[in-house]
Amino acid sequence: MIETADAEPEYDDTAIRFLEALWGEGYLSPGGPEEVDRVVEGLSLKGKTILDIGCGAGGITLHLVATHGAARATGFDVERPVIEKARRGAARQGLEDRVSFVQAPPGPLPFPDASFDVVFSKDALLHVPDKDALFAEIFRVLRPGGVFAASNWMIGHDGEPSAQMKAYVAAEGLSFAMASPARYAEAMRRAGFTDITIRDRNPWYREVAREELARLRGPLYARAAAAVGAAYVDKNIKTWEAMQKVLDSGEHRPTHLRGWKPVG
């Protein structure tokens, strides 16, 4: 996310309520804990220290500790409403001794060099325009031998987006700075990451988004409208319709990323 700490938040309390109605308590991106588990599949997080960049409402940060046995997790976000929500969730789950949440403005990460065994992110890096600076910072705060594991929303190509993609981004009304999987991999290589892997999740989310849209139009409509108002739900139905078009065309490409910081 790239809003400053004092700017009007993009993920305010209304947005949080709406997205949690759709995706579950503490989750502001699709797939819930099951998709988080896929991002870290094959990694042992037990006893590790984790940084969750763009932690949002904190559900993922808490899941990485409660389910995957991380020794300590730090959630980081630039927006105050989501951090406040995340802190309440940690207190409710009794995890305040193992989980902390940090809010700071965009720019260099507010952590010392080599602070974390794992850096995680779920669908938040698309808000950061400078991918090279982003991955240089992620590389810096990782310990040697540490791993970066993330999911992110990407565009299938670099260059001019299609009219459909422009319409979708406009409908979202968020600070998207989308780039291709190849561009992300290039930024990771420049930062020093090795053993970089890319996993396309478009086929998965293309169908999940179709189900989400059906729920918004049908069984979820009344509950979501009660939480945020019918006009807000109607606006998001139009956003999902625009998103479905670029998912179906393949231009919108949710993708998993992984890379390692060399030991030497």
Side-chain angles (χ1 to χ4, degrees):
M1 300 177 185
I2 64 170
E3 288 294 294
T4 66
D6 297 320
E8 191 70 23
E10 294 189 353
Y11 294 85
D12 59 12
D13 290 334
T14 304
I16 294 169
R17 288 197 304 274
F18 173 76
L19 295 174
E20 285 187 327
L22 186 62
W23 289 327
E25 178 77 18
Y27 285 82
L28 306 184
S29 66
E34 294 80 12
E35 184 66 359
V36 174
D37 294 345
R38 292 185 198 104
V39 175
V40 299
E41 192 174 16
L43 298 176
S44 174
L45 305 184
K46 192 170 179 59
K48 301 291 178 63
T49 58
I50 297 177
L51 172 64
D52 179 8
I53 296 177
C55 65
I60 290 172
T61 320
L62 298 170
H63 177 72
L64 293 172
V65 168
T67 302
H68 289 275
R72 182 159 189 83
T74 301
F76 169 75
D77 209 292
V78 303
E79 295 198 341
R80 186 170 290 113
V82 294
I83 288 292
E84 291 173 350
K85 170 81 176 176
R87 287 171 178 160
R88 291 194 296 271
R92 192 166 54 251
Q93 292 191 32
L95 290 172
E96 291 169 295
D97 58 332
R98 294 167 63 195
V99 177
S100 59
F101 292 98
V102 175
Q103 184 216 355
L109 293 168
F111 307 105
D113 295 356
S115 298
F116 302 97
D117 300 308
V118 179
V119 174
F120 178 94
S121 186
K122 177 73 165 62
D123 304 335
L125 303 182
L126 78 163
H127 295 285
V128 182
D130 190 338
K131 310 305 181 190
D132 290 318
L134 167 68
F135 282 104
E137 276 296 287
I138 292 171
F139 192 84
R140 179 184 66 78
V141 301
L142 265 178
R143 294 186 178 120
V147 64
F148 166 73
S151 169
N152 197 46
W153 284 17
M154 304 187 193
I155 189 169
H157 58 88
D158 292 305
E160 189 76 8
S162 71
Q164 284 187 332
M165 179 60 85
K166 289 178 180 177
Y168 161 59
V169 172
E172 284 279 13
L174 300 172
S175 56
F176 282 8
M178 297 178 88
S180 70
R183 176 71 187 92
Y184 274 88
E186 178 189 19
M188 290 175 69
R189 280 192 296 272
R190 287 180 179 175
F193 284 96
T194 60
D195 299 319
I196 297 165
T197 57
I198 296 171
R199 183 182 183 189
D200 181 18
R201 296 296 285 155
N202 171 278
W204 166 77
Y205 191 51
R206 189 167 62 231
E207 299 312 314
V208 168
R210 211 180 308 280
E211 294 166 8
E212 291 167 353
L213 181 55
R215 287 169 56 212
L216 284 172
R217 287 170 171 159
L220 186 59
Y221 187 93
R223 181 160 67 92
V228 298
Y232 195 92
V233 180
D234 291 342
K235 175 186 176 297
N236 276 278
I237 287 173
K238 288 184 169 55
T239 301
W240 253 253
E241 289 169 346
M243 179 174 65
Q244 192 68 57
K245 291 177 182 176
V246 288
L247 283 166
D248 287 344
S249 74
E251 191 172 16
H252 183 358
R253 304 211 74 81
T255 300
H256 290 182
L257 294 169
R258 190 175 294 184
W260 298 82
K261 182 171 182 175
V263 175

